[in-house]
Amino acid sequence: MIKKLSNMDYKQKQERCGQYIKALEEERRKIHVFQRELPLCLDLVTQAIEACKRELPGTATENMYGQSECSEQTTGECTPVLEQFLTIKDSSTSNEEEELTDEHGNHDPDNDSEDKNMKSDWLKSVQLWNQPDPLLPKEEGTQEKMVDTVVKKDESMKKEAMANGGERRKREAEKDGGRKQRRCWSSQLHRRFLNALQHLGGPHVATPKQIKELMKIDGLTNDEVKSHLQKYRLHTRRPSQTVSSNGNSQTQHLVVVEGIWVPKSDHSTGRTTGGATTSGTTTRSTTGIYGAMAAPPLPQWPSPSSFRPSIIVEEKGSGSPSEEVVVRCSSPAMSSSTRNHYVKNI
DNA sequence: GTATCAATAT
DNA sequence: CATATTGATA
């Protein structure tokens, strides 16, 4: 009796583990669409899967009870996997959103051109594009411990936002005839923006008002969000389609669309972390900083582990006059309704 | 949602 | 001084 029970128990364990893995994999498929904005998330899930698989075949000593199928945002006590999450998170949390370390009030334009930091400093160098603000908000300090939905995250930099925008929002009717002072989109602000975007289902379905609300940043106006969204869209479109120029457009039925848009990488460290170090000085070939995210050269993310292209689109119809492409994704959010087909302007 | 203006940065 | 970026506005 008891033997049987324990045996069944074991089998159940295994089955549970399998289910868990399955769930994880599905989850990963889902967020794969957003790999552009949640590369680390994807990475985390992937690693979790691997870790789980490693444990499965061996002695299933670990206790897998308690969570029928925790899909990422489980409440917390999530077996060894959770530990993995935590570890990884700890190491990479800096670029998840706390990458703002105002360590450098000065960027040394001289000894910058090293690729020395090909770890994850991609954004580190971004932070200081603030206006000469006497307020140096040292907000950071927030070591959040939520690995969950990626959205609810920290609420830490609102103050900064206030300082930047809300405070000086008073219209100075001086020579500019009442034009507002520029809103400074810090990297954090932008990240919140991105989060909001993805929760609303993508840049093309999100409305500025919703975004603003979701960002929950005091002093932020709809127009500001709107403007930023516009710019974001402009830049996230494919800025360069350097491929296929030689009439061999049929060989390429798959093109990668969109990449990560990170706010203004600094003037020095902003090279592609991988591949051929673009010795800079290519100047902006109409694509500028955002250009390095299109198709063939593949993403240049600091993420050490495997990284696959972003959203994949495939050409529709071989004779269609309208060069239209459809995003192939399984995300319910993305694939809702008709707004998700990007028109190609080749 | 787009186009244009204006302030800055390069 | 010209041009590119980027946020504000029309």
Side-chain angles (χ1 to χ4, degrees):
Chain A
M1 257 293 217
I2 298 182
K3 269 189 201 165
K4 196 176 179 182
L5 256 181
S6 64
N7 197 14
M8 271 181 58
D9 196 43
Y10 177 76
K11 279 192 77 171
Q12 276 189 355
K13 274 189 207 167
Q14 278 197 323
E15 192 175 349
R16 272 238 160 98
C17 208
Q19 286 180 345
Y20 179 57
I21 293 179
K22 220 179 144 189
L24 274 181
E25 283 175 338
E26 182 161 346
E27 202 81 17
R28 189 177 59 152
R29 272 203 306 276
K30 287 180 184 172
I31 68 172
H32 186 260
V33 180
F34 297 116
Q35 135 179 136
R36 174 172 59 99
E37 272 126 4
L38 300 170
L40 297 173
C41 226
L42 193 113
D43 199 35
L44 287 180
V45 179
T46 302
Q47 294 194 38
I49 291 174
E50 286 172 5
C52 212
K53 279 180 177 172
R54 276 200 301 271
E55 292 175 21
L56 181 56
T59 57
T61 44
E62 337 298 332
N63 42 357
M64 289 282 290
Y65 323 93
Q67 78 282 346
S68 43
E69 45 174 358
C70 47
S71 55
E72 283 200 315
Q73 58 237 48
T74 39
T75 10
E77 66 288 324
C78 210
T79 61
V81 180
L82 200 265
E83 291 178 352
Q84 289 259 347
F85 269 98
L86 285 180
T87 356
I88 297 171
K89 213 218 122 234
D90 261 82
S91 60
S92 64
T93 191
S94 41
N95 21 356
E96 268 292 44
E97 57 230 15
E98 299 310 81
E99 66 274 73
L100 243 283
T101 49
D102 31 70
E103 49 198 2
H104 37 263
N106 55 348
H107 32 29
D108 227 351
D110 287 338
N111 50 357
D112 49 47
S113 48
E114 281 78 346
D115 300 350
K116 53 194 174 197
N117 43 9
M118 47 189 298
K119 14 167 54 172
S120 51
D121 312 53
W122 49 290
L123 254 187
K124 255 191 180 167
S125 35
V126 174
Q127 55 237 43
L128 259 276
W129 58 320
N130 290 332
Q131 308 184 319
D133 242 13
L135 313 166
L136 240 267
K138 50 190 299 307
E139 15 85 11
E140 269 27 78
T142 50
Q143 285 271 4
E144 84 230 320
K145 31 324 193 165
M146 305 170 41
V147 202
D148 297 356
T149 354
V150 190
V151 185
K152 296 286 185 165
K153 308 224 145 167
D154 61 317
E155 322 287 325
S156 55
M157 68 287 266
K158 296 180 183 167
K159 284 187 156 187
E160 181 193 36
M162 272 231 295
N164 278 346
E167 189 231 319
R168 60 172 62 183
R169 223 90 293 257
K170 57 201 173 188
R171 37 187 126 295
E172 29 221 295
E174 285 165 63
K175 57 168 186 165
D176 56 344
R179 199 167 274 254
K180 284 201 301 185
Q181 190 77 357
R182 289 174 155 236
R183 147 83 58 187
C184 196
W185 283 84
S186 65
S187 56
Q188 256 123 22
L189 215 49
H190 183 64
R191 291 202 71 74
R192 290 194 71 84
F193 171 81
L194 291 181
N195 280 340
L197 265 195
Q198 69 157 305
H199 275 269
L200 292 173
H204 291 73
V205 292
T207 187
K209 186 176 178 180
Q210 292 176 303
I211 298 176
K212 189 203 74 178
E213 315 251 320
L214 228 156
M215 288 175 73
K216 283 196 179 70
I217 287 183
D218 179 83
L220 192 63
T221 75
N222 286 342
D223 282 348
E224 288 168 327
V225 175
K226 188 174 153 189
S227 180
H228 194 66
L229 180 61
Q230 180 184 28
K231 186 167 64 69
Y232 178 79
R233 283 168 172 166
L234 282 177
H235 280 276
T236 47
R237 263 170 29 180
R238 62 192 120 267
S240 65
Q241 194 66 271
T242 10
V243 239
S244 76
S245 53
N246 266 7
N248 52 0
S249 51
Q250 49 176 333
T251 47
Q252 285 253 344
H253 278 255
L254 292 180
V255 285
V256 182
V257 76
E258 296 196 291
I260 288 281
W261 175 57
V262 14
K264 188 194 234 158
S265 182
D266 76 303
H267 2 282
S268 48
T269 342
R271 60 235 309 106
T272 53
T273 321
T277 41
T278 325
S279 306
T281 52
T282 322
T283 333
R284 38 273 166 140
S285 55
T286 65
T287 55
I289 323 170
Y290 311 93
M293 56 186 175
L298 280 190
Q300 76 293 19
W301 270 76
S303 186
S305 25
S306 65
F307 216 90
R308 311 221 283 274
S310 317
I311 302 179
I312 299 179
V313 284
E314 70 179 319
E315 290 207 15
K316 193 212 288 181
S318 38
S320 198
S322 63
E323 298 272 336
E324 196 173 342
V325 291
V326 189
V327 177
R328 212 205 300 138
C329 68
S330 52
S331 168
M334 269 299 244
S335 56
S336 69
S337 98
T338 59
R339 323 186 60 164
N340 286 301
H341 58 280
Y342 300 76
V343 178
K344 216 198 281 189
N345 303 326
I346 338 185

